[in-house]
Amino acid sequence: MIRSSFPTSVAVFALLILNVGAKDTFIAAVYEHAVILPDKTETPVSEEDAFLLMNRNIDMLENAIKQAAKQGAQIIVTPEDALYGWNFSRETIFPYLENIPDPKVNWIPCEEPLRYGHTPVQARLSCLAKTNSIYVLANIGDKKQCNSRDSTCPSNGYYQYNTNVVYNSDGKLVARYHKYHLYQERQFDVPQKPELVTFTTTFGKFGIFTCFDILFHDPAVTLVKDFDVDTILFPTAWMNVLPFLTAIEFHSAWAMGMRVNLLAANIHHVSLNMTGSGIYTPHSPKAYHYDMETTDGKILVSEIESRPRFSPVYPPAINWNAYAKAIKPFPIQKKTFGGLVSRDEFNFTELYESAGNLTVCKNKLCCHLSYHMLGKEENEVYVLGAFTGLHGRRKKEYWQVCTMLKCKTTDLTTCGQPVETASTRFEMFSLSGTFETEYVFPEVLLSKIHLSPGKFEVLKDGRLVNKNGISGSVLTVSLFGRQYTKDYSNSGRANHSAISYLLITTLLIITALQNIELA
Ligand SMILES: *[C@@H]1O[C@H](CO)[C@@H](O)[C@H](O)[C@H]1NC(C)=O
Ligand SMILES: *[C@@H]1O[C@H](CO)[C@@H](O)[C@H](O)[C@H]1NC(C)=O
Ligand SMILES: *[C@@H]1O[C@H](CO)[C@@H](O)[C@H](O)[C@H]1NC(C)=O
Ligand SMILES: *[C@@H]1O[C@H](CO)[C@@H](O)[C@H](O)[C@H]1NC(C)=O
Ligand SMILES: *[C@@H]1O[C@H](CO)[C@@H](O)[C@H](O)[C@H]1NC(C)=O
């Protein structure tokens, strides 16, 4: 019997494998780690001392990895700089670095610890993944020897990179990513070009980048748009900045705006405002953590969809300016005034009544707000604001922002300054803007730095609206847009691509004309 039905059972069996092999959901973990920092020093420590410190931090990661695995997690992300902190020169970081090979060498450091020289950190991390049968992302330092024929080779003969590594559940190195957008990290070098690093598992396709990278087009946006990754692994050492760039606020908004899963693991270091990790999905945050009270780390574990873009509830693509461009601007208020959010010059208008329709413009960006407060608090003032331009002191990133935010005090000159508590709730809000970019990240931040999962959504026409009843107490409701093509560092490249585009178009037209003649 069994033999006679052999072909059928093979077919059925194959189908079963296919179905079982591709999982609909998986269990993800992120670990917010309170890193043990080295003593301040101007002179490099020995390799032994560097390893001792890293080992103490890895002991804590081990504990987190074990707990996550026990809760069924298939993958865990640990933070940037989690093994040694961030305050180094090129010389003082050097004893912490190891040579990390390209994953294509097919290496399980746990089984062959000496294959690439002295690499005790990689061996231990690989063993943690293997022993606990879980994918592990860690952030460590890579050193790559170069020689004087290479004119960019640093004087110590090594390139030094801020690097993410991923080990699979057998302990094999499956990914290596060198951070591209360094943030005041004089100890590290910038790789020649942004690296697009992905790997595939039975629970989806993964992409990787680090911290400040999230504010730029490459590799972050390209991984999602052109490489179709399902989930981004994102280690960070993120200092929170109100009102738009607090970790949980911006990272959850990026996942929604890009419609991708994002596993964000931050350092926990309260005196530098570093806290805020989360497991974010295209609809809403699944789990998040923000803690300015304790000095402890935290593990988050959550089940999420492996391939969100094939899910029946995958959010639709959004036309970010459809509504705002279609309506007539609400009558401009006489009370429009200028104000600074950090160094950026916003145009503001006050939410003077308890309900209303307002428009405020800054250059070509017009922001519209319809709102209805549950009650107008005497001691709280909100404004609608618009900003478009190169951001901050460095003036490299081009921002387009529409925001409704609570001012620090009732004095209008304090609008845009950090404020952490509010009591005003909204029966209704609807915010939109005439954005000139498709990259807009919807943020809603509530009193005491809380997110608002399930209580707001973005409509297909680009309106950010509340849902499921009265809102929580609002600090800010914002549409944070990035117009990458106007970034300062990109202008050369943008021109380049415009020229190649023109050339290709011309060639295509010539070819088409020739074909017509031939026909
Ligand atoms: C960084 O290290 C330098 C030199 O060791 C020290 O002067 C400075 O205070 C440190 N900064 C922080 C934020 O720890
Ligand atoms: C932390 O955040 C608070 C409030 O936003 C700010 O006043 C303070 O300067 C920040 N601290 C650091 C070290 O950046
Ligand atoms: C805001 O405009 C809508 C129509 O666009 C109108 O129905 C509503 O009454 C207006 N609200 C206020 C408070 O003016
Ligand atoms: C700010 O708003 C006022 C009032 O609507 C407007 O006249 C002004 O042009 C705006 N500023 C910019 C830079 O757009
Ligand atoms: C392109 O090149 C021109 C002239 O070199 C420059 O003015 C412009 O800012 C560049 N960038 C863009 C995005 O047009």
Side-chain angles (χ1 to χ4, degrees), residues 332-334 336-338 346-348 359-365:
I332 300 270
Q333 307 295 299
K334 52 179 182 288
T336 297
F337 59 97
F346 277 64
N347 237 354
F348 287 130
T359 294
V360 68
C361 301
K362 173 81 187 188
N363 302 333
K364 276 193 194 156
L365 177 69

Side-chain angles (χ1 to χ4, degrees), residues 96-118:
Y96 295 86
L97 309 178
E98 291 186 357
N99 172 30
I100 306 168
D102 188 316
K104 71 177 180 223
V105 300
N106 202 8
W107 182 36
I108 301 179
C110 187
E111 292 176 1
E112 290 180 277
L114 300 177
R115 184 164 146 194
Y116 292 97
H118 186 63

Side-chain angles (χ1 to χ4, degrees), residues 290-309:
Y290 176 92
D291 164 30
M292 286 291 280
E293 307 297 319
T294 80
T295 54
D296 304 331
K298 174 83 180 177
I299 304 164
L300 298 176
V301 177
S302 193
E303 184 170 359
I304 61 174
E305 282 178 317
S306 304
R307 289 172 188 81
R309 72 184 78 221

Side-chain angles (χ1 to χ4, degrees), residues 368-381:
H368 309 304
L369 175 72
S370 298
Y371 70 97
H372 196 149
M373 291 171 177
L374 186 58
K376 180 122 173 65
E377 308 275 340
E378 281 297 301
N379 58 349
E380 298 199 332
V381 167

Side-chain angles (χ1 to χ4, degrees), residues 220-242:
V221 171
T222 302
L223 282 174
V224 179
K225 297 259 297 183
D226 300 342
F227 288 72
D228 290 337
V229 302
D230 301 298
T231 301
I232 296 286
L233 306 178
F234 179 62
T236 184
W238 191 279
M239 295 174 68
N240 292 318
V241 183
L242 287 165

